[in-house]
């Protein structure tokens, strides 16, 4: 087990509440989920252990449709304020991601990831930026035999499952069921606090592991504001070269989109023509873009 004294980390304090984030300025990236056991209390306590899913517990077998691909698409979309996107831009991104979730498979981020996760005896929660509409595919991939994850028990026995709109964005539904909290791309720290409030739960410490630095920091800020001690672990095993996508991944993504859009056009022409006629996909204040021509 790794000693905290021997491990570098970023430590911040606010009102006497300490937060630790690994890796910190003096530490190598955390690439093994086993690290989480080094920061858990040795004895039972009111600790909640929170896991991200994409590229933390599961990762895509392909670049196209993956979390990595989605982050790249966000960058492609933002490169043009006029909406005249490059040929690499894929419109209706959330529709494409939904199709990918349903049709594709995910693998464990590391061979023993399920054993590490399942062995943790503290209260656990899975929190994901995915939309609640993706729940079926998400639960399927976590629990399939090859993955082997056992979904956490509900934190509150009185809540089999709840669906609500958050205080911060009334347009986006979130859902908590089977130990998975799906928050539609919102702030993970603020949404976790709102869920705990709805369940009437309090914890002495929260440990959070995620592959996204933004989520790690958002969780720290939200918990510090409420006086809750926090340990954040930035998991970096799954490599994401942004904005410099490897050539082989770009080729894969272009070929996959060409084939998927052709299928869409030929099998579901009504839906495809609707998008083509509107020339944009509008998800409220989210991504908008022009449909690229299919050869």
């Amino acid at each position: 087990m790794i000693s905290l004294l021997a491990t570098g980390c970023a430590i911040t304090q606010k009102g006497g509440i300490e937060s630790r984030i690994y890796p910190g300025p003096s530490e190598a990236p955390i690439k093994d989920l086993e690290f989480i056991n080094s920061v858990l209390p040795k004895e039972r306590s009111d600790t909640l252990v929170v896991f991200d899913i994409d590229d933390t517990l599961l990762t895509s077998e392909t670049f196209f449709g993956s979390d990595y691909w989605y982050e790249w698409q966000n960058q492609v979309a933002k490169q043009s304020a006029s909406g005249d996107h490059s040929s690499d831009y894929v419109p209706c991104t959330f529709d494409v991601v939904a199709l990918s979730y349903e049709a594709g498979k995910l693998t464990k981020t590391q061979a023993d990831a399920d054993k590490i996760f399942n062995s943790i005896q503290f209260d656990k929660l899975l929190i994901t930026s995915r939309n609640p509409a993706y729940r079926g595919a998400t639960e399927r991939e976590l629990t399939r035999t090859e993955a082997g994850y056992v979904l956490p028990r509900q934190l509150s026995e009185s809540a089999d499952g709840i669906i609500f709109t958050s205080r911060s964005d009334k347009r986006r539904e979130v859902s908590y069921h089977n130990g998975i909290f799906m928050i539609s791309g919102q702030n993970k720290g603020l949404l976790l606090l709102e869920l705990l409030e709805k369940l009437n739960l309090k914890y002495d410490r929260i440990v959070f592991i995620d592959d996204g630095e933004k989520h790690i920091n958002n969780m720290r800020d939200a918990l510090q504001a409420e006086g809750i001690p926090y340990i954040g672990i930035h998991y970096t095993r799954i490599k994401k070269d942004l904005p410099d996508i490897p050539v082989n991944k770009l080729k894969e993504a272009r070929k996959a989109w060409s084939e998927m859009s052709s299928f869409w056009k030929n099998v579901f022409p009504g839906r495809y023509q609707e998008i083509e006629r509107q020339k944009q996909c509008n998800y409220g204040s989210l991504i908008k873009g022009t449909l690229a021509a299919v050869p």
Side-chain angles (χ1 to χ4, degrees), residues 2-11 20-32 34-36 38-39 231-236:
I2 303 170
S3 168
L4 291 180
L5 296 177
T7 308
C9 64
I11 302 176
R20 295 173 178 260
I21 295 180
Y22 301 86
S26 62
E27 175 158 7
I30 304 302
K31 295 186 177 182
D32 190 341
E34 178 62 33
F35 180 85
I36 197 168
S38 71
V39 301
I231 295 175
I233 301 173
H234 186 198
Y235 181 69
T236 58

Side-chain angles (χ1 to χ4, degrees), residues 59 189 230 236 254 259 275:
T59 191
Y230 167 62
T236 58
R254 290 163 182 159
E259 293 177 354
I275 297 167

Side-chain angles (χ1 to χ4, degrees), residues 28-233:
I30 304 302
K31 295 186 177 182
D32 190 341
L33 291 171
E34 178 62 33
F35 180 85
I36 197 168
N37 284 315
S38 71
V39 301
L40 294 177
K42 294 182 180 180
E43 298 179 357
R44 184 73 182 172
S45 66
D46 288 331
T47 295
L48 175 65
V49 186
V50 182
F51 283 83
D52 169 51
I53 297 176
D54 287 296
D55 291 341
T56 300
L57 294 180
L58 293 173
T59 191
S60 177
E61 291 185 329
T62 63
F63 172 59
F64 182 76
S66 67
D67 195 55
Y68 184 9
W69 175 86
Y70 175 75
E71 290 182 18
W72 171 59
Q73 278 297 305
N74 275 340
Q75 289 196 347
V76 172
K78 291 173 183 176
Q79 287 171 357
S80 173
S82 66
D84 184 18
H85 301 295
S86 75
S87 59
D88 280 325
Y89 176 72
V90 174
C92 295
T93 314
F94 297 111
D95 293 14
V96 174
V97 165
L99 291 171
S100 299
Y101 285 160
E102 291 298 335
K105 284 183 64 178
L106 301 176
T107 60
K108 290 181 289 188
T109 51
Q110 59 186 75
D112 58 350
D114 57 325
K115 293 181 177 61
I116 294 168
F117 176 83
N118 295 340
S119 68
I120 294 173
Q121 298 302 305
F122 297 95
D123 283 358
K124 288 181 290 190
L125 172 73
L126 296 174
I127 187 168
T128 174
S129 295
R130 293 186 180 199
N131 185 288
Y134 308 148
R135 176 171 291 279
T138 302
E139 292 189 11
R140 179 196 72 211
E141 291 304 303
L142 283 165
T143 59
R144 69 165 63 248
T145 303
E146 304 96 300
Y149 292 106
V150 177
L151 297 182
R153 68 171 184 82
Q154 292 290 99
L155 296 177
S156 173
E157 298 297 338
S158 63
D160 290 333
I162 56 175
I163 298 174
F164 61 95
T165 55
S166 69
R167 286 190 289 261
S168 56
D169 192 337
K170 293 295 185 183
R171 299 168 304 162
R172 302 194 206 182
E173 262 191 355
V174 302
S175 73
Y176 174 60
H177 185 55
N178 286 342
I180 305 173
F181 190 27
M182 312 189 79
I183 65 169
S184 301
Q186 299 184 72
N187 184 305
K188 290 186 177 182
L190 295 178
L191 265 293
L192 176 61
L193 289 175
E194 193 165 347
L195 176 66
L196 294 180
E197 180 183 319
K198 286 184 178 295
L199 299 179
N200 195 28
L201 293 173
K202 293 183 179 180
Y203 288 93
D204 296 333
R205 179 190 296 102
I206 289 177
V207 179
F208 176 48
I209 183 165
D210 197 298
D211 71 299
E213 187 174 8
K214 176 186 74 174
H215 301 306
I216 295 287
N217 292 333
N218 283 346
M219 186 69 73
R220 175 201 61 202
D221 294 345
L223 296 182
Q224 279 194 340
E226 294 299 316
I228 303 173
Y230 167 62
I231 295 175
I233 301 173

